[in-house]
């Protein structure tokens, strides 16, 4: 299966789109936001654990912090929605341009016996299928490089203390 110039062009465009959306995410979410997300996840794990273990004291203690975490989640959800619509606009614009530019015919021949739903049509791989394969490859890689996961300390915060505040001071 020789790689066509169109396939190389689509890979480059996919990498550029992945880079743009990863950078956009990095601009929207600050390090503090990422720490707050990790803190909220840790709180949710604690609540789930207390519910599973049917620990009324732990549930009561966690209930006192519930309002704070709901406010944090609401603020972060607003940023997430804004990012989602911005990313959607970028991708829909690209996909409409690319579909008009490349058409729906195959740009690559698929290896004999190779089939993936939405990727291979007949014996060829059209633009959208090649884009999906390229997006999996470049999107995951670039997102890991540009937006690495936030490492949080496993130390439990003292009563009333917030993990994000500890990180900001440290």
């Amino acid at each position: 299966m020789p790689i066509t110039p169109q396939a190389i062009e689509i890979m480059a465009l996919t990498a550029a789109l992945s880079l743009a959306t990863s950078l956009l995410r990095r601009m929207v979410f600050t390090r503090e936001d990422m720490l707050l997300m990790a803190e909220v996840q840790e709180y949710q794990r604690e609540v789930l654990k207390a519910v599973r273990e049917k620990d009324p004291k732990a549930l009561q203690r966690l209930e006192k912090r519930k309002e704070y975490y709901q406010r944090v989640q609401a603020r972060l959800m607003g940023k997430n929605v804004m990012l989602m619509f911005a990313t959607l606009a970028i991708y829909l614009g690209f996909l409409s341009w690319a579909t008009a530019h490349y058409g729906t015919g195959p740009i690559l021949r698929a290896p004999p016996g190779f089939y993936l739903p939405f990727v291979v049509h007949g014996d060829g791989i059209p633009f959208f299928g090649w884009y999906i394969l390229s997006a999996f490859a470049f999107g995951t890689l670039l997102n890991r490089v540009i937006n690495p996961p936030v490492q949080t300390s496993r130390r439990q915060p003292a009563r009333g203390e917030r993990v994000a505040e500890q990180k900001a001071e440290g």
Side-chain angles (χ1 to χ4, degrees):
M1 167 177 99
I3 302 277
T4 63
Q6 288 177 322
I8 293 170
E9 189 176 299
I10 291 169
M11 286 191 303
L13 290 170
T14 303
L17 278 175
S18 295
L19 181 64
T21 56
S22 293
L23 289 173
L24 183 63
R25 179 174 173 78
R26 184 153 187 147
M27 289 178 0
V28 170
F29 287 105
T30 64
R31 177 147 176 82
E32 179 184 330
D33 291 334
M34 301 304 276
L35 289 170
L36 285 171
M37 280 186 218
E39 186 178 330
V40 168
Q41 287 176 345
E42 182 65 31
Y43 170 78
Q44 289 171 340
R45 276 192 292 272
E46 288 177 25
V47 169
L48 189 61
K49 181 181 175 188
V51 168
R52 283 184 181 157
E53 294 175 356
K54 297 178 181 163
D55 185 354
K57 288 183 180 182
L59 285 170
Q60 193 174 35
R61 177 180 48 85
L62 292 166
E63 186 68 29
K64 292 177 184 176
R65 298 186 301 177
K66 183 178 181 179
E67 187 179 322
Y68 165 75
Y69 287 110
Q70 286 176 336
R71 284 194 314 267
V72 169
Q73 277 184 307
R75 185 171 66 98
L76 294 173
M77 186 185 299
K79 285 187 172 190
N80 248 333
V81 169
M82 180 181 68
L83 180 65
M84 179 187 67
F85 282 122
T87 302
L88 186 65
I90 291 169
Y91 279 106
L92 287 179
F94 168 72
L95 289 175
S96 65
W97 171 82
T99 302
H101 184 71
Y102 296 110
T104 56
I107 60 165
L108 288 171
R109 285 188 49 85
F114 179 72
Y115 178 75
L116 281 175
F118 306 110
V119 174
V120 178
H121 293 283
D123 65 345
I125 301 174
F127 149 74
F128 191 70
W130 187 245
Y131 169 76
I132 289 173
L133 291 175
S134 299
F136 279 130
F138 292 112
T140 304
L141 177 66
L142 287 172
N143 199 35
R144 292 279 179 201
V145 170
I146 294 173
N147 299 311
V150 175
Q151 298 295 323
T152 60
S153 66
R154 299 305 293 169
R155 182 179 82 76
Q156 293 293 325
R159 187 173 187 189
E161 184 179 35
R162 306 284 187 255
V163 173
E165 293 168 359
Q166 296 169 2
K167 294 292 182 185
E169 293 170 5

